[in-house]
């Protein structure tokens, strides 16, 4: 097979596989010698022998492809669509209680990334229900398949979710994702490692089913580039809810599969070979996922932690605080700059960030402290972000009603750019003490 034919073939099969993985995903992400006993029904669930046999046949293959030997039997069960929706409502409520949803929406609306009228919980529920086939639940340690799904879809989803079940035998996925809940970028990076790992193994399995031969995806061209052109459309799947979602939501859902796939491919090309991306092999920032060379042990680029210390002055309260990371900084710049390449390059020198949305006497104020690899990176970002905010308020009809400042400085030898966005004229302007931040290299 010629190289260009192989690339086209992998893109076609892989696009469907990524779509299948996405449709399976509500992961909070998420060696047994006796294979007959390696897969069993969930406690209290009726046995499904056909599903159990299928999973038992897949398990040793996915152990090898995922580089994770099974440590305990896998629990498997079916779930009705109604039970699935009830589960999703419960999990969304657990992970995103109403007060957190409200503060998240206000923060992302201030960046212009979502409308301030967005109803986030029903949107997320619709997104996860749109094409769901099955999922692994780390709280019950059970792999679920939804009733009424075509057998061909079930097999691909089982291949993907078995890897998640194996991951959970090495790290506690639920605890892992709960620990990153207040660290947006770190959580996205962790999900990229988990989903990229499962998707990579699933694609190699799928390609073998089609070609009849072992396929080594580390020998292929960069997978993240191959699937950058809308994998869902290439797979022929109709997902209108995802297609119409704000870019920051759509891209954040797709990134763990696409970005994670490229990260795992590049990592497994290295001298260490196929080591599951867990524990010390798990990235801690989307920068490391976007640029796997910055995760190599000999040149690991760890982000700088940014903290806003101290109490707020009277009359000021913090609505929400977190970081965007390189991925969402890129998404923000892409949304408001006409040049996509410029947006990506302006975000590429990211070395850490944190923002805080405040409510003060004059209304909402945003303070966003960002750290950059070099002086030129900070300058490039400062120019781009100033233009992006200007365009954001022109598009939103708030031009002249907001005052945005971008100030570059050097703090402890690190190059910073601090963005302040407040009402204009600055009635109740942001006090200087609110702008103070601390840096700590991780």
């Amino acid at each position: 097979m010629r190289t260009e034919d192989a690339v086209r073939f992998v893109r076609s099969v892989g696009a469907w596989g990524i779509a299948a993985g996405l449709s399976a995903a509500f992961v909070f992400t998420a060696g047994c010698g006796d294979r007959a006993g390696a897969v069993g029904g969930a406690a209290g669930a009726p046995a499904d022998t056909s599903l159990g046999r299928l999973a038992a046949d897949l398990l040793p293959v996915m152990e090898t492809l995922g580089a994770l030997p099974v440590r305990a039997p896998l629990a498997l069960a079916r779930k009705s669509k109604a039970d699935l929706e009830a589960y999703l409502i419960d999990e969304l409520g657990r992970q995103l209680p109403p007060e957190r949803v409200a503060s998240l929406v206000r923060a992302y609306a201030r960046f212009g990334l979502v409308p301030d009228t967005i109803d986030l919980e029903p949107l997320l529920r619709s997104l996860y229900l749109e094409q769901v086939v099955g999922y692994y639940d780390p709280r019950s340690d059970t792999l679920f398949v939804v009733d009424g799904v075509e057998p061909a879809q079930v097999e691909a989803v089982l291949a993907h979710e078995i890897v998640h079940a194996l991951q959970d035998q090495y790290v506690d996925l639920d605890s892992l994702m709960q620990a990153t809940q207040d660290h947006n970028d770190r959580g996205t990076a962790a999900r990229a490692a988990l989903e990229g790992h499962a998707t990579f193994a699933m694609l190699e399995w799928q390609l073998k089913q089609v070609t009849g031969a072992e396929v080594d995806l580390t020998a292929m061209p960069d997978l993240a580039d191959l699937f950058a052109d809308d994998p869902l459309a290439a797979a022929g799947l109709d997902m209108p809810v995802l297609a119409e979602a704000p870019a920051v939501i759509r891209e954040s859902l797709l990134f763990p599969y696409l970005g994670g796939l490229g990260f795992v491919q590049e990592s497994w090309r290295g001298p260490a070979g196929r080591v599951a991306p867990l524990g010390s092999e798990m990235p801690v920032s989307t920068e490391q996922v976007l640029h796997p060379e910055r995760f190599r042990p000999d040149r690991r680029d760890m982000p700088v932690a940014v903290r806003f210390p101290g109490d707020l002055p009277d009359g000021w309260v913090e609505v929400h605080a977190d970081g965007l990371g390189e991925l969402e900084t890129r998404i923000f710049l892409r949304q408001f700059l006409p040049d996509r390449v410029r947006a990506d390059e302006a975000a590429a020198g990211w070395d850490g960030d944190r923002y805080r949305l405040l409510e003060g006497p004059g209304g909402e104020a945003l303070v966003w402290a960002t750290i950059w690899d070099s002086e030129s990176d900070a300058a490039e970002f400062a120019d781009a972000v100033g233009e992006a905010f200007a365009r954001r308020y022109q598009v939103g009809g708030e031009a002249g009603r907001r005052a945005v400042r971008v100030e570059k400085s050097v703090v402890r030898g690190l190059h910073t750019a601090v963005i302040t966005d407040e009402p204009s004229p600055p009635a109740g302007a942001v006090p200087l003490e609110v702008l103070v931040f601390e840096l700590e290299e991780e």
Side-chain angles (χ1 to χ4, degrees):
M1 185 181 290
R2 295 178 304 170
T3 300
E4 58 269 30
D5 292 334
V7 167
R8 190 178 305 111
F9 180 75
V10 171
R11 183 185 288 116
S12 175
V13 175
W16 188 92
I18 291 168
L22 178 63
S23 70
F26 197 70
V27 176
F28 302 95
T29 15
C32 287
D34 180 9
R35 290 296 159 202
V39 177
D48 187 325
T49 55
S50 61
L51 193 62
R53 283 196 298 268
L54 182 57
D57 289 343
L58 277 169
L59 178 56
V61 179
M62 302 319 295
E63 284 181 90
T64 300
L65 294 177
L68 283 178
V70 66
R71 289 178 166 178
L74 306 187
L76 189 66
R78 288 194 181 270
K79 188 180 284 282
S80 70
K81 280 277 190 179
D83 286 342
L84 170 65
E85 185 162 8
Y87 168 80
L88 290 177
I89 292 170
D90 178 66
E91 280 297 332
L92 283 170
R94 183 173 77 100
Q95 294 197 12
L96 292 172
E99 62 276 10
R100 179 171 174 81
V101 170
S103 66
L104 274 171
V105 167
R106 285 186 65 178
Y108 280 78
R110 178 48 55 203
F111 278 102
L113 289 169
V114 301
D116 58 8
T117 56
I118 193 170
D119 202 348
L120 188 59
E121 194 274 343
L123 172 61
L124 291 176
R125 193 192 324 162
S126 297
L127 283 167
Y128 288 124
L129 285 170
E130 189 167 39
Q131 291 283 342
V132 72
V133 173
Y135 62 95
Y136 177 73
D137 175 20
R139 280 208 291 168
S140 64
D141 300 329
T142 302
L143 198 165
F144 290 99
V145 174
V146 178
D147 287 337
V149 176
E150 292 293 327
Q153 286 182 289
V154 170
E155 196 170 16
V157 167
L158 278 178
H160 184 101
E161 299 305 318
I162 282 172
V163 179
H164 286 317
L166 294 173
Q167 292 166 346
D168 200 27
Q169 295 184 1
Y170 287 77
V171 297
D172 186 334
L173 294 185
D174 190 49
S175 297
L176 172 66
M177 299 318 299
Q178 287 295 316
T180 62
Q181 189 169 354
D182 295 326
H183 301 277
N184 168 48
D185 192 57
R186 184 185 287 265
T188 302
R191 285 191 295 275
L194 298 174
E195 295 296 355
H197 179 210
T199 303
F200 191 97
M202 177 185 65
L203 290 186
E204 289 196 330
W205 169 80
Q206 285 182 301
L207 288 164
K208 183 178 180 181
Q209 304 313 296
V210 176
T211 65
E214 302 287 344
V215 177
D216 181 3
L217 286 180
T218 64
M220 294 297 297
D222 291 346
L223 293 174
D225 295 338
L226 283 182
F227 300 119
D229 300 332
D230 195 350
L232 299 180
L237 284 186
D238 182 22
M239 299 184 74
V241 179
L242 182 62
E244 295 299 322
V248 69
I249 295 175
R250 184 175 62 253
E251 297 300 322
S252 294
L253 282 174
L254 288 171
F255 178 76
Y257 301 88
L258 298 176
L261 187 63
F263 172 81
V264 171
Q265 181 191 37
E266 185 61 28
S267 298
W268 284 10
R269 284 170 171 167
R274 297 192 173 220
V275 177
L278 305 172
S280 63
E281 298 303 312
M282 180 170 282
V284 298
S285 70
T286 55
E287 176 197 31
Q288 294 175 343
V289 178
L290 288 163
H291 312 281
E293 70 279 3
R294 301 181 192 177
F295 189 67
R296 293 173 186 163
D298 59 337
R299 51 182 300 190
R300 191 155 295 180
D301 189 353
M302 299 297 289
V304 175
V306 183
R307 296 182 178 86
F308 291 105
D311 296 329
L312 290 169
D314 290 342
W316 289 84
V317 295
E318 185 176 88
V319 176
H320 192 76
D322 206 333
L324 291 188
E326 182 175 340
L327 174 66
E328 290 185 0
T329 299
R330 170 194 283 191
I331 293 170
F332 169 73
L333 294 176
R334 281 182 177 183
Q335 184 153 327
F336 296 108
L337 296 180
D339 186 340
R340 180 185 176 114
V341 172
R342 180 190 174 201
D344 292 358
E345 290 177 348
W350 179 93
D351 201 30
D353 81 290
R354 190 164 182 83
Y355 67 81
R356 64 194 324 194
L357 180 66
L358 306 168
E359 180 73 36
E364 282 186 352
L366 177 71
V367 179
W368 184 18
T370 65
I371 317 301
W372 299 90
D373 288 331
S374 68
E375 182 178 7
S376 62
D377 288 327
E380 183 178 21
F381 170 74
D383 289 342
V385 78
E387 183 179 334
F389 268 104
R391 289 177 177 272
R392 175 256 184 279
Y393 287 125
Q394 287 171 359
V395 171
E398 295 182 80
R401 300 208 301 267
R402 303 290 299 182
V404 178
R405 300 191 306 276
V406 182
E407 299 180 0
K408 303 190 300 292
S409 64
V410 178
V411 179
R412 290 178 48 195
L414 297 169
H415 298 280
T416 74
V418 179
I419 298 91
T420 308
D421 171 11
E422 59 190 334
S424 177
V430 174
L432 289 178
E433 56 263 43
V434 171
L435 303 178
V436 175
F437 58 90
E438 298 174 346
L439 304 180
E440 180 180 329
E441 296 193 52
E442 297 188 11

